[in-house]
Amino acid sequence: MKSKSSTYRELNHKSDLELFELIKERNKGALETIFNRYYETLCRFGITYESDLDVVQEKVSDVFIQLWNAHERIHEIKKPKPYLYVVVKNKLMEQVSYQKLKQTLEQAQEDEYYASPCIEQEIIDQEQREIYVRKIEGILDQIPKKSRQIFEMSRLDELKYKEISEILGVSIKTVESHMAIALKTIRNMVVKNKQF
């Protein structure tokens, strides 16, 4: 039987991809190795998005918990290192977005207190927003599945083409091609239906 230290030495010599494969098989040592390999650098990276170190450390730790819990999908990840960086970035951007949303809601409540529009106008505005959302969803539904995924990663998740190509394991040209398809579909739908 191997000693614990020799097992960890063996794991340390494995590539990130090999460790991800072992995590898929529920190997806790592999998760611990990936954690030790990237935790500090991911925290350093995270500080560029969030100045509160406690929040950064919590979000980075969440990424590793998420990795362990999503072990069935690990085979989809072709480039582990960029994947970890992008997930950390997204988690921290969610945090920033949440804080902005909270401030916006607080400001909106304050504004509403001082200048509350009539209830009829609120209902009309809400209906207009719902119509607008349905139109956008209808257009997005026309985009081919892979192109829509890449479009959403680019426009909603604000990932760069290079990051998308690394996460999905495709070339940048493929990402560009799918984006062109998505944008052309949107343009055609808007013109065809005079949506907006």
Side-chain angles (χ1 to χ4, degrees):
M1 186 171 164
K2 292 180 184 176
S3 72
K4 202 171 186 179
S5 62
S6 70
T7 302
Y8 283 119
R9 269 198 303 274
E10 283 179 26
L11 288 171
N12 275 326
H13 292 332
K14 293 199 177 292
S15 72
D16 294 345
L17 206 50
E18 290 170 319
L19 290 170
F20 268 46
E21 282 299 314
L22 290 170
I23 292 169
K24 182 183 168 191
E25 296 167 13
R26 310 305 279 161
N27 183 314
K28 289 181 181 178
L31 180 68
E32 189 176 331
T33 303
I34 281 284
F35 179 88
N36 291 334
R37 193 174 285 180
Y38 288 110
Y39 179 78
E40 284 186 30
T41 55
L42 289 171
C43 287
R44 245 190 330 273
F45 169 73
I47 288 292
T48 61
Y49 294 96
E50 169 61 57
S51 57
D52 186 337
L53 183 59
D54 290 336
V55 170
V56 171
Q57 289 173 334
E58 179 186 335
K59 294 297 179 184
V60 170
S61 296
D62 287 349
V63 168
F64 291 100
I65 293 168
Q66 180 181 321
L67 184 65
W68 182 255
N69 291 335
H71 64 278
E72 316 88 28
R73 296 186 59 219
I74 286 182
H75 68 278
E76 297 172 13
I77 302 165
K78 304 298 179 213
K79 307 225 177 179
K81 185 177 179 180
Y83 168 82
L84 291 171
Y85 277 83
V86 170
V87 175
V88 166
K89 174 187 169 191
N90 289 345
K91 282 206 170 286
L92 290 168
M93 294 304 283
E94 282 173 12
Q95 177 74 15
V96 170
S97 297
Y98 170 75
Q99 293 299 336
K100 284 182 184 173
L101 178 62
K102 189 175 167 195
Q103 289 171 349
T104 303
L105 289 173
E106 288 169 357
Q107 183 62 47
Q109 285 175 334
E110 194 176 300
D111 292 348
E112 187 177 330
Y113 178 77
Y114 291 112
S116 183
C118 67
I119 192 73
E120 291 84 0
Q121 187 60 47
E122 286 181 14
I123 292 169
I124 291 168
D125 291 346
Q126 179 62 31
E127 286 174 356
Q128 288 295 322
R129 281 192 294 274
E130 288 172 7
I131 290 168
Y132 185 71
V133 166
R134 280 196 301 274
K135 286 180 179 180
I136 290 172
E137 287 172 352
I139 290 172
L140 291 177
D141 285 342
Q142 299 303 311
I143 301 172
K145 189 177 177 183
K146 191 71 171 179
S147 299
R148 179 175 176 169
Q149 178 191 23
I150 288 173
F151 175 81
E152 289 177 348
M153 290 174 82
S154 171
R155 294 301 197 261
L156 302 181
D157 299 335
E158 299 180 356
L159 298 176
K160 293 178 176 54
Y161 287 3
K162 186 175 189 311
E163 292 172 327
I164 296 169
S165 76
E166 289 174 347
I167 291 167
L168 298 179
V170 297
S171 70
I172 292 177
K173 286 280 185 206
T174 302
V175 173
E176 290 170 350
S177 173
H178 280 291
M179 280 299 293
I181 291 167
L183 293 171
K184 183 178 180 186
T185 305
I186 291 169
R187 206 168 26 252
N188 289 344
M189 288 296 295
V190 170
V191 169
K192 178 182 167 189
N193 299 318
K194 296 184 172 50
Q195 296 275 1
F196 301 98

